[in-house]
Amino acid sequence: MSDHLRLGVNIDHVATVRNARGSAYPDPVRAAKLAEEAGADGITAHLREDRRHISDADIEGLMEALSLPLNFEMAATEEMQAIALRHTPHAVCIVPERREERTTEGGLDVARDENRLAHFIAPLAEAGCRVSIFIAAEPRQVEAANRIGAAVIELHTGAYCDAHAEGRFEERDAELERLREMAGFAHSLGLEVHAGHGLTYETVGPIAAIPEVRELNIGHFIIGEAIFLGLTPAIAEMRRLMDAARG
Ligand code: PXP
């Protein structure tokens, strides 16, 4: 197993700032190019049904401008499937989506929706996209993701990060243990393991240290930190912490 832990930089919240004023700036495609120069291994963007941050034009711009692989996050809807099939990004990550949520609050319940999801992802995989499923660290979700033919699972680190931020350290450590176990379990089934959601400089280390995890997708914290440090140093610091944890 290659030990390089990839960093996918999620640029959604550059678009959030742009959309707050309905202006043309800051441009998420420019952020993606800068992230590329700063050492990101991939770019992640979530085209939400309500287009609250990333727009259809952003996806087109990213597909044109990027030499890095694009990880296109989307809900399992026909509209999004058609968009993904039009662009055939390197990877497609299927996430749950509810309009009223502030962010992707939980993992996808693959176990409950197995048949539909198996049919949903098949054309995406046939078109050459690596299909990833965003799930909580639960054995039945890992098993279901494997059964439907996903190539990758992305483990939701939100519960671990929230418990850390709120000082619930026992819960944090229990969640970290679940993440470790599920990374090992998924890897043993032949799934590639990614992780992300809510990661910060404080929380990234133990996740980066999980040997089966091959990629982290990180956005909100990096974009926030870029306000103070600039985007390139904010990414470089995340990279440094990932490498230190891995080493
Ligand atoms: N991974 C997935 C599947 C996500 O949906 C998100 C949020 O869009 C992230 C990673 C990145 O989370 P954050 O912006 O909290 O770093």
Side-chain angles (χ1 to χ4, degrees):
M1 182 171 24
S2 147
D3 202 44
H4 179 69
L5 176 62
R6 293 194 302 269
L7 171 60
V9 174
N10 180 316
I11 41 100
D12 291 351
H13 297 300
V14 177
T16 303
V17 175
R18 175 193 63 192
N19 296 0
R21 290 286 293 272
S23 54
Y25 63 86
D27 177 10
V29 178
R30 182 175 167 202
K33 299 286 285 175
L34 208 55
E36 188 166 352
E37 287 165 28
D41 301 286
I43 298 296
T44 293
H46 182 179
L47 184 66
R48 293 186 73 105
E49 188 193 5
D50 63 8
R51 310 300 198 267
R52 70 174 70 155
H53 37 58
I54 292 295
S55 68
D56 299 66
D58 292 330
I59 297 295
E60 262 166 53
L62 288 167
M63 286 302 296
E64 264 173 38
L66 279 185
S67 25
L68 285 182
L70 177 66
N71 175 32
F72 178 64
E73 288 183 8
M74 55 175 249
T77 65
E78 275 178 33
E79 181 201 16
M80 289 300 152
Q81 189 191 50
I83 294 170
L85 289 172
R86 198 161 64 242
H87 292 297
T88 59
H90 166 78
V92 165
C93 181
I94 312 294
V95 302
E97 205 174 292
R98 285 184 294 122
R99 265 179 191 268
E100 64 275 19
E101 70 189 0
R102 260 185 302 174
T103 178
T104 313
E105 281 161 10
L108 195 68
D109 194 349
V110 208
R112 206 189 55 188
D113 211 9
E114 215 174 302
N115 264 342
R116 187 180 82 83
L117 286 169
H119 285 103
F120 184 82
I121 68 170
L124 297 165
E126 271 161 36
C129 302
R130 263 178 96 61
V131 178
S132 166
I133 311 280
F134 190 42
I135 54 172
E138 292 168 11
R140 66 190 193 100
Q141 302 297 352
V142 175
E143 284 162 356
N146 186 46
R147 278 195 300 271
I148 68 170
V152 180
I153 56 154
E154 180 162 329
L155 293 172
H156 198 309
T157 52
Y160 154 78
C161 292
D162 288 348
H164 175 83
E166 291 159 20
R168 294 179 279 111
F169 296 133
E170 271 181 32
E171 280 175 54
R172 175 199 62 189
D173 294 346
E175 186 59 27
L176 181 58
E177 197 45 43
R178 273 192 285 278
L179 289 161
R180 284 195 188 111
E181 277 176 25
M182 285 309 104
F185 177 47
H187 179 71
S188 75
L189 297 176
L191 289 159
E192 183 171 312
V193 183
H194 299 175
H197 207 283
L199 292 169
T200 65
Y201 293 155
E202 282 187 13
T203 51
V204 75
I207 302 295
I210 300 173
E212 294 87 0
V213 172
R214 302 289 312 280
E215 177 175 309
L216 299 181
N217 286 302
I218 310 179
H220 187 249
F221 179 83
I222 288 179
I223 303 306
E225 206 56 19
I227 294 170
F228 304 107
L229 304 180
L231 188 57
T232 302
I235 292 171
E237 177 61 3
M238 192 60 85
R239 180 78 259 172
R240 187 187 69 74
L241 292 165
M242 285 165 59
D243 290 343
R246 205 69 165 182

